[in-house]
Amino acid sequence: MGEIGVGQPWRTWPVFAEKSPDFLDAVASYLEQLDRLSPQQRQDLALFKAAELVNALIQMRERKQAADRVGPAVAQASFALVRAAIRDRQIALGGGERTDLREPVLRDLIDEGCRLFHAGKKDPDLYQRALALSAAQCIALHEQLKVALERYASDSGLELPESLREAVQQAFIEPYRRP
């Protein structure tokens, strides 16, 4: 992919219409880091990002007691899978397949997202930085995310309804697609 931040046409995308200049500058900064990832690193990070996005949507629906939630057992299993990936620096999928997340650049990006997300619970500015990092990942990994989402959905061992996959696609993948 490379050089998606150059010229920064993404700043005019509808998903960023209401965002502050500081938010957009943070996205641009993260895009610079993500532009340096190798194709394999992008693929590995996209799989983690897919797991993270699925989990985020599941947890939001559970908290809101949404009619289309998957239930507490799947929500807990999803949370456990993402937590294990962060802790163990790998994603274990069906058939014994493992995606390694130990490379320093991947580890640092994942750690930064976790740090900002948790600190952001008490500091709105840090939460906005966490969202900026997530948005930058959705932009930079867009080409890999749909495949990663399907791979995760089919091989994670979770019972994920098609409607959930479509919701992740609509909320976190499509808005970050280059026009």
Side-chain angles (χ1 to χ4, degrees):
M1 177 179 285
E3 312 250 351
I4 192 162
V6 174
Q8 301 180 347
W10 54 267
R11 286 180 181 256
T12 63
W13 295 354
V15 72
F16 295 116
E18 303 292 320
K19 299 299 183 186
S20 73
D22 287 342
F23 182 90
L24 298 175
D25 290 345
V27 171
S29 176
Y30 287 123
L31 280 172
E32 288 178 17
Q33 292 176 351
L34 293 161
D35 276 344
R36 294 189 287 266
L37 296 178
S38 72
Q40 184 64 52
Q41 290 169 330
R42 286 176 189 272
Q43 184 178 329
D44 294 345
L45 186 59
L47 185 62
F48 175 78
K49 187 67 179 174
E52 184 180 60
L53 295 173
V54 164
N55 185 58
L57 193 54
I58 287 173
Q59 302 308 323
M60 285 188 279
R61 287 179 173 186
E62 286 299 311
R63 270 193 304 280
K64 293 179 181 179
Q65 297 284 309
D68 58 353
R69 67 186 185 271
V70 294
V74 174
Q76 181 58 36
S78 173
F79 179 78
L81 283 171
V82 172
R83 186 178 176 116
I86 293 166
R87 181 187 62 242
D88 300 337
R89 304 297 181 186
Q90 61 182 344
I91 299 174
L93 297 176
E97 181 185 352
R98 297 194 181 281
T99 297
D100 188 355
L101 302 171
R102 290 178 293 176
E103 285 191 51
V105 67
L106 297 180
R107 184 194 65 230
D108 291 349
L109 284 165
I110 292 167
D111 287 352
E112 176 75 353
C114 292
R115 183 188 70 76
L116 290 170
F117 176 75
H118 290 291
K121 291 178 181 178
K122 295 182 180 178
D123 183 337
D125 291 334
L126 291 177
Y127 186 69
Q128 288 302 305
R129 289 217 38 110
L131 294 177
L133 174 56
S134 183
Q137 289 172 336
C138 289
I139 293 169
L141 303 172
H142 183 266
E143 292 177 19
Q144 295 84 12
L145 274 174
K146 187 171 184 175
V147 170
L149 174 61
E150 291 307 315
R151 184 172 163 221
Y152 183 73
S154 68
D155 296 343
S156 67
L158 298 174
E159 294 291 327
L160 302 176
E162 182 62 32
S163 62
L164 178 71
R165 288 183 270 182
E166 289 173 7
V168 170
Q169 177 82 16
Q170 292 303 310
F172 301 115
I173 298 175
E174 286 304 314
Y176 299 94
R177 182 179 53 145
R178 289 189 227 191

